[in-house]
Amino acid sequence: MKTRVTELLGIEYPVIQGGMAWVAEHNLAAAVSEAGGLGIIGAGGAPAEFVREQIRKVKEVTDKPFGVNVMLMNPEADAIAQVIVDEGVKVVTTGAGNPAKYMEMWKAAGVKVIPVVASVAMAKLMERGGADAVVAEGMESGGHIGSTTTFALVPQVVDAVSIPVIAAGGIADGRGMAAAFMLGAEAVQIGTRFVVATESIVHENYKQQLIKAKDIDSAVTGMSTGHPVRSIRNKMTKEYLRMEKEGADFMELEKLTLGSLRKAVVEGDVVNGTVMAGQIAGLVKKEQPCKEIITEIVDEAEKLMGNR
Ligand code: TUI
């Protein structure tokens, strides 16, 4: 399954792990890279020095390529951008904003830059700015989302840019991967299925919540604040949506979700915490090692695409 993305990144399979805040730490990233995909450390809202330690820990266990995701709303994004250069990280993905101001320093350091985008306009802007590829992420995804579905977004982005496109949002098996390739994608980014990987350090309650989730069990909060976030419906999302309907202001809503992702991922509070997950959670049925997840997905996709 060689594509421009496997060539660009020097990886065996065109499977990239989502840069999920709190979830995508060194154990998961190293396991995905060791399995032949591209593991990603999700910097999320973490301090720059924490990200540096995570990078060093991945390097201790694997020589394979891995990347770092910079969540651009992090107040420490500038410092993290520098840590990436200092530590010789080869691949960066970005989310929740426009990485233009870091492009020059990253390109000068030989870092491959792959912004996550949710629109054609943003994809074109990133290509003009020197991006090596883009992740086109549909609103089926967990976490911070745009408003277009993967099925509509990916082919439109593919037609609009000449750099490789990586599809994300609603992909968790070989059927999804094959479908993404039919739309013109040259790799897939997968989040939700890796959350329940054996190597994922996410609290057991969080994993079970995803494993038992059905197709309609997620909700999108934050539409009114301009920061829509998809997570599994629970007491927190119900309260949030009720407050939004009543016209609560930004600060009031912020209070409800401050530290709430950590609460779910680390403490296992899946009632009051934010259990970010994609709409595809209903397809994710069991915990498996990253190697098994990747092999299963790639084998199934290859069969469907008639490669073997
Ligand atoms: O970034 C993500 N997903 C995320 S980030 C995150 S951490 C967080 N936690 C609570 C509230 C908000 C964030 C959890 N999940 N995906 C990539 C993505 N990027 N989706 C959408 C976008 C995006 C949105 C607007 C990219 C660019 C953009 O442009 C804005 C601009 O500056 O023009």
Side-chain angles (χ1 to χ4, degrees), residues 203-210 212 221 231-241 256-257 259-276:
H203 196 284
E204 188 57 26
N205 294 355
Y206 198 120
K207 290 188 180 180
Q208 288 309 319
Q209 204 72 2
L210 260 57
K212 74 174 191 219
T221 54
S231 61
I232 299 292
R233 204 186 307 277
N234 61 7
K235 182 161 168 256
M236 184 286 293
T237 64
K238 284 195 185 111
E239 176 68 1
Y240 196 110
L241 292 170
L256 200 60
T257 51
S260 66
L261 180 59
R262 182 191 176 281
K263 209 187 278 177
V265 173
V266 181
E267 293 166 24
D269 184 350
V270 294
V271 176
N272 304 295
T274 302
V275 185
M276 291 186 189

Side-chain angles (χ1 to χ4, degrees), residues 21 44 71 73 94-98 116-118 122 137 142-146 227 229 261 276:
M71 204 282 281
M73 292 192 298
T94 63
N98 182 343
V116 179
V117 301
M122 195 68 180
E137 190 183 272
H144 179 60
I145 54 171
H227 297 293
V229 169
L261 180 59
M276 291 186 189

